[in-house]
């Protein structure tokens, strides 16, 4: 079962995802995609590790900023995990940002090439999520509700994040939007065209 949790910055989505994941298994693998490239981010990473340690839930942290597809495939391999741990990935938009910066060192001069490469990575991730046999909780950011980014790179990121979120929502069993700490189960209230 795959679950996608989305929301804005500081919306409570990670806290909800961790609580939800802790109800799916007796232990978990926490996949962190952040790259602590400055002091402020390093402090955030340390604080998050400490929160998980104090949570009372048995988390094993794995840091994987780029090869998320490979990691999910390795975790899914027969015999790779004793029992059925829940896997929580936090967060997909950082993973996407890491890839965008890797494939776009020129700031996005060749937009069509960058979009093709990003869409290929998104499709590979959707395939890995669809194949994944363990409980899986994915955290992402809803970035399309804000202002239009000023730079071409920012607009490419926003567009790629929107495409990624749509694609993963399509392959996940459940989809939660968290606003001000309140989760809403979107798939349970989603309109369906066959209802017309």
């Amino acid at each position: 079962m795959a679950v996608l949790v989305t929301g804005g910055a500081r919306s409570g989505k990670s806290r909800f995802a961790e609580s939800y994941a802790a109800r799916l298994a007796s232990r978990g693998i926490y996949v962190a995609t952040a790259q602590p490239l400055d002091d402020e981010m390093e402090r955030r990473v340390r604080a998050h590790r400490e929160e998980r340690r104090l949570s009372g839930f048995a988390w094993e942290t794995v840091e994987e900023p780029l090869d998320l597809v490979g990691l999910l495939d390795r975790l899914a391999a027969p015999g790779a995990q004793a029992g059925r741990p829940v896997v929580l990935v936090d967060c997909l938009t950082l993973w996407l940002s890491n890839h965008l910066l890797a494939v776009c060192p020129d700031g996005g001069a060749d937009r069509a090439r960058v979009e093709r490469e990003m869409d290929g990575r998104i499709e590979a991730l959707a395939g890995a999520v669809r194949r994944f046999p363990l409980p899986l909780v994915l955290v992402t950011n809803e970035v399309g509700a804000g202002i239009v980014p000023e730079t071409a790179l920012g607009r490419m990121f926003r567009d790629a994040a929107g495409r990624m979120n749509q694609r993963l929502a399509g392959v996940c069993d459940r989809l939660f939007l968290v606003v001000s700490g309140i989760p809403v189960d979107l798939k349970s209230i989603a309109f369906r065209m066959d209802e017309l």
Side-chain angles (χ1 to χ4, degrees):
M1 174 186 70
V3 177
L4 183 64
V5 178
T6 189
R10 314 313 301 166
S11 64
K13 61 190 177 295
S14 292
R15 180 176 292 121
F16 170 73
E18 290 173 21
S19 295
Y20 188 95
R23 292 177 180 262
L24 299 177
S26 60
R27 68 182 184 90
I29 298 170
Y30 194 103
V31 180
T33 62
Q35 297 184 84
L37 301 175
D38 58 36
D39 291 342
E40 187 267 340
M41 193 59 154
E42 183 61 45
R43 283 191 300 276
R44 280 180 181 243
V45 167
R46 278 196 309 271
H48 285 294
R49 283 185 194 134
E50 183 65 7
E51 286 172 12
R52 286 193 299 276
R53 188 185 70 75
L54 296 173
S55 72
F57 187 72
W59 287 113
E60 171 193 346
T61 300
V62 176
E63 295 180 2
E64 185 48 71
L66 289 168
D67 190 20
L68 182 55
V69 171
L71 176 63
L72 290 176
D73 286 343
R74 289 188 299 278
L75 291 173
Q81 296 299 320
R84 289 187 54 83
V86 62
V87 175
L88 188 152
V89 178
D90 195 357
C91 85
L92 295 180
T93 40
L94 282 174
W95 170 82
L96 186 76
S97 174
N98 296 339
H99 277 282
L100 183 61
L101 294 173
V103 302
C104 200
D106 59 2
D110 187 351
R111 184 179 181 105
R113 176 193 61 81
V114 172
E115 285 182 359
R116 280 191 308 275
E117 288 193 39
M118 296 308 295
D119 286 348
R121 286 173 167 85
I122 292 166
E123 192 56 39
L125 177 60
V129 168
R130 197 174 38 253
R131 294 187 299 273
F132 200 71
L134 302 172
L136 178 63
V137 179
L138 305 164
V139 178
T140 189
N141 287 290
E142 185 52 53
V143 298
I147 61 172
V148 175
E150 183 177 335
T151 66
L153 185 60
R155 290 187 296 276
M156 279 191 284
F157 170 74
R158 179 210 50 198
D159 294 350
R163 291 191 308 274
M164 175 184 70
N165 290 347
Q166 288 183 57
R167 183 66 180 105
L168 290 172
V171 299
C172 286
D173 302 291
R174 299 192 81 177
L175 169 62
F176 291 96
L177 171 65
V178 182
V179 179
S180 300
I182 307 295
V184 178
D185 186 347
L186 292 180
K187 286 202 174 187
S188 72
I189 61 172
F191 170 77
R192 289 167 180 76
M193 292 301 283
D194 59 359
E195 295 173 349
L196 283 176

